[in-house]
Amino acid sequence: MSDTISPGTTQEFKQQVKAAFESTQVGQTFTFRRTFTEGDVALFCGVTGDYNPYHIDETFVRSSWFGRRIIPGLLTSSMITHIGGMIGFLATEMHFEYPGAVYIGDTITCTVTITAKDEARRLVHASASLVNQDGVEVLRSKFSGFPSDVRLAK
């Protein structure tokens, strides 16, 4: 993040971003856990327009290999953005894999790990693993971005 990228950026903000980058360490982890509810699905589908029958149609999904409605993948992925918000992380790239389904009532634990730092660009690389209450991985992710305001306890 050089001066030429954002000429209107204040010196104070540049110092804040630099301090956040320096305080972020490779191997550092952040964890968030939550249980997904019927209300979460209704709100997410309403806001996004994701009316996929796997999420909202009990009759349809009962005859599928899932047997019951599943949580939208991006709703599950949003657990990563919760952690990102707590460290003021502005993502520049995100990749997701969904090896398992998440169901209404599942408790998911999201663990984000800082995997690398690009000193020249002040870019941070991270991975995330999300597991259900039975320890089964339901989501894997890799992403990059810029930390700017770490607000979580170290």
Side-chain angles (χ1 to χ4, degrees), residues 51-72:
Y51 298 115
N52 188 316
Y54 286 102
H55 310 315
I56 64 170
D57 186 338
E58 192 68 47
T59 302
F60 168 83
V61 79
R62 204 173 302 132
S63 64
S64 77
W65 52 86
F66 295 113
R68 57 190 168 126
R69 292 181 308 144
I70 60 172
I71 302 293

Side-chain angles (χ1 to χ4, degrees), residues 89-111:
F89 192 88
L90 180 61
T92 57
E93 183 175 12
M94 299 180 89
H95 300 274
F96 303 109
E97 294 178 57
Y98 302 95
V102 177
Y103 300 94
I104 294 169
D106 280 358
T107 298
I108 305 299
T109 301
C110 172
T111 303

Side-chain angles (χ1 to χ4, degrees), residues 1-151:
M1 295 184 70
S2 68
D3 292 341
T4 60
I5 292 174
S6 303
T9 304
T10 66
Q11 196 60 35
E12 179 182 359
F13 182 77
K14 290 176 188 177
Q15 285 302 110
Q16 179 180 325
V17 169
K18 181 180 178 194
F21 179 81
E22 289 172 353
S23 72
T24 304
Q25 302 301 317
V26 172
Q28 188 174 16
T29 62
F30 303 94
T31 302
F32 173 57
R33 179 178 300 116
R34 68 164 300 178
T35 300
F36 286 101
T37 67
E38 176 75 41
D40 295 327
V41 174
L43 288 170
F44 184 85
C45 291
V47 167
T48 64
D50 182 355
Y51 298 115
N52 188 316
Y54 286 102
H55 310 315
I56 64 170
D57 186 338
E58 192 68 47
T59 302
F60 168 83
V61 79
R62 204 173 302 132
S63 64
S64 77
W65 52 86
F66 295 113
R68 57 190 168 126
R69 292 181 308 144
I70 60 172
I71 302 293
L74 288 178
L75 175 55
T76 307
S77 301
S78 72
M79 292 181 69
I80 298 167
T81 63
H82 170 78
I83 292 173
M86 295 304 292
I87 60 175
F89 192 88
L90 180 61
T92 57
E93 183 175 12
M94 299 180 89
H95 300 274
F96 303 109
E97 294 178 57
Y98 302 95
V102 177
Y103 300 94
I104 294 169
D106 280 358
T107 298
I108 305 299
T109 301
C110 172
T111 303
V112 169
T113 303
I114 305 301
T115 57
K117 292 171 68 173
D118 179 337
E119 299 284 340
R121 299 185 327 167
R122 289 206 182 113
L123 187 68
V124 172
H125 302 280
S127 65
S129 176
L130 285 76
V131 298
N132 67 15
Q133 64 277 355
D134 299 319
V136 175
E137 188 173 49
V138 296
L139 191 153
R140 285 186 290 272
S141 178
K142 292 184 180 182
F143 52 97
S144 302
F146 303 97
S148 61
D149 186 20
V150 177
R151 296 175 282 164

